[in-house]
Amino acid sequence: MKKSIGFLMLLITMMVLAACGSSSSGGEKKAGENVTLKYGMWNKDQVPAVEKIIENFEKENPTIKVEIELTPREQYFQKLETAANGGAMPDVFWMNGPNVARFANGKALLPLTDLIEKDKFEMSNYPETLTSLYTINDDIYGVPKDFDTTGLFYNKKIFDEAGVPYPDETWTWEDLKEAAVKLTNKEKGIHGIAADLKNQGSYYDLIWQNGGEIITDNGKSTGFAELEAIEALEYWYSFIDEGLSPTYAQLTETWSTDMFMSGKLAMTFDGSWRVAVFKDNPDLDVAPLPQGKERAVTIHGLANVISAKTKNQDAAWKFVQYLGSADAAQVFAETGTVIPAYNGLQDAWLEAVPTMNLKAFIDAVEYSRPLPNIEQTSALWASETNILKRAWSGEISVEKAAKELAAEAEGILKK
């Protein structure tokens, strides 16, 4: 009898241990277990800095490994949406302001508010404008990573050869046009500037500079059909129309960044994130954007978020905290990769590339306008591209395109 009882107790013990083993393998990893996190991002130019940050993180957390999932910007959010529906999102990934509401409201992102309060993670280390950008319905969904503004990059060698003074803070729209005329050299295949069909870093900035608006009436309408917006769009398209910029077809075939790097563009509007690409070329520098009726420039910043369906929540949160730390921000700053969101480390970014006037990006914060943040952003941006490209290709007038865009946008914003 005693043997039977002993055997029964042994059998029960083995069943309990088996049950414990099976439950731990299917859900959240326990402390001490090896974990591999997938980290989604889109900018290949930031990979070296990110790899250094991951290396430092893994040294402090030997049971956690991080693998980068790099996706081109053009496919990034579509891939995320598909992955969210299939439950295969990266554990941690980049998020931007225009898309955070859509993914948060779609229950694809993990709310961080309780974790932040539990661990007393200090969100005051970041600009309030960035933390509020990633706060949806009173829940925080992202820890700010960086912020960016736009500047006028230029090639000093091309300017010198054309005898044109370098741009500075006094430049206006008229100065930009006059310089583009002098810098365009058809024999050498050089254009004065690229009139890219980008919202952030081109026509949004110009619309604001001309006194116009992008989103109006509390997100219910747009200002594209207003005179200020039409004038700004016509000014930007005039560079293509006058042969001072590559055509829309050329800009679609070859990125303006590549044209600029190869010496085929004298100037280009671009964001502070391009410093990592341009910093090693001694011929390249940057100045503030020329001003129209007023000064204005887009400001935006990325954040790190966590998938709501991650099976590695504890490890993912630990990684996000590190990504938001002063140590990680220092790596971004010292490499000149991006302007870190962590307060007090912007000066380190300025000092990282002393050959370029990076202060132009920091000074622009004073007159910056936030990139519009609405749930219908993706649909609105697609509409902008689909309609404005017809004007940029010369099929219809800019005014007609702007009015068509305004009409279509009204329907999108009312959904």
Side-chain angles (χ1 to χ4, degrees), residues 246-265:
T247 65
Y248 177 71
Q250 290 172 323
L251 291 171
T252 302
E253 183 179 343
T254 305
W255 279 20
S256 58
T257 301
D258 295 330
M259 293 183 186
F260 185 62
M261 285 289 288
S262 64
K264 296 302 180 181
L265 284 179

Side-chain angles (χ1 to χ4, degrees), residues 67-355:
E67 296 179 357
I68 294 174
E69 283 191 359
L70 186 67
T71 304
R73 175 66 175 78
E74 292 76 15
Q75 291 90 47
Y76 184 82
F77 287 101
Q78 181 59 52
K79 181 180 177 181
L80 270 185
E81 189 171 332
T82 302
N85 293 331
M89 298 180 89
D91 300 279
V92 178
F93 51 96
W94 286 5
M95 181 53 62
N96 66 4
N99 283 285
V100 65
R102 178 164 65 99
F103 282 93
N105 292 334
K107 309 299 182 184
L109 305 183
L110 181 73
L112 304 180
T113 309
D114 290 344
L115 295 173
I116 289 169
E117 293 177 357
K118 173 178 172 290
D119 291 343
K120 295 181 172 56
F121 185 74
E122 198 56 71
M123 293 299 290
S124 62
N125 287 326
Y126 317 101
E128 185 178 352
T129 52
L130 294 184
T131 57
S132 62
L133 184 65
Y134 292 96
T135 301
I136 310 296
N137 298 324
D138 297 325
D139 258 323
I140 299 172
Y141 284 89
V143 173
K145 169 185 173 291
D146 56 47
F147 73 86
D148 50 71
T149 57
T150 308
L152 176 66
F153 286 96
Y154 63 97
N155 187 310
K156 293 183 289 187
K157 182 178 179 181
I158 296 176
F159 270 73
D160 291 341
E161 291 175 350
V164 178
Y166 299 154
D168 58 30
E169 70 280 357
T170 67
W171 268 35
T172 63
W173 285 12
E174 290 75 19
D175 294 317
L176 182 67
K177 177 62 74 70
E178 291 175 6
V181 171
K182 295 175 182 177
L183 293 164
T184 299
N185 188 324
K186 294 183 178 179
E187 292 183 359
K188 294 183 178 180
I190 296 174
H191 286 93
I193 196 168
D196 281 307
L197 192 56
K198 300 182 297 187
N199 43 37
Q200 181 186 7
S202 69
Y203 61 83
Y204 276 10
D205 304 88
L206 296 174
I207 289 173
W208 281 322
Q209 288 181 11
N210 203 42
E213 294 293 340
I214 310 301
I215 303 296
T216 60
D217 193 24
N218 293 322
K220 296 179 182 178
S221 59
T222 74
F224 289 121
E226 301 301 319
L227 179 62
E228 293 84 359
I230 293 172
E231 287 179 344
L233 290 168
E234 287 178 336
Y235 169 75
W236 197 225
Y237 173 69
S238 71
F239 287 93
I240 290 179
D241 192 43
E242 296 170 24
L244 308 177
S245 163
T247 65
Y248 177 71
Q250 290 172 323
L251 291 171
T252 302
E253 183 179 343
T254 305
W255 279 20
S256 58
T257 301
D258 295 330
M259 293 183 186
F260 185 62
M261 285 289 288
S262 64
K264 296 302 180 181
L265 284 179
M267 300 178 288
T268 185
F269 283 16
D270 221 326
S272 48
W273 60 86
R274 291 293 182 208
V275 171
V277 185
F278 299 152
K279 66 180 182 179
D280 294 326
N281 189 329
D283 292 329
L284 307 184
D285 205 344
V286 66
L289 285 188
Q291 61 179 321
K293 295 176 182 176
E294 58 187 87
R295 285 200 178 281
V297 65
T298 308
I299 188 170
H300 181 242
L302 301 185
N304 288 296
V305 299
I306 299 176
S307 167
K309 296 182 180 179
T310 180
K311 295 181 179 180
N312 305 304
Q313 180 177 310
D314 289 345
W317 171 232
K318 186 172 290 188
F319 182 47
V320 166
Q321 289 182 83
Y322 188 81
L323 290 170
S325 69
D327 289 344
Q330 192 73 28
V331 173
F332 281 128
E334 290 179 347
T335 56
T337 303
V338 288
I339 307 174
Y342 199 97
N343 292 327
L345 286 175
Q346 287 81 36
D347 286 344
W349 181 76
L350 292 176
E351 295 166 3
V353 189
T355 57

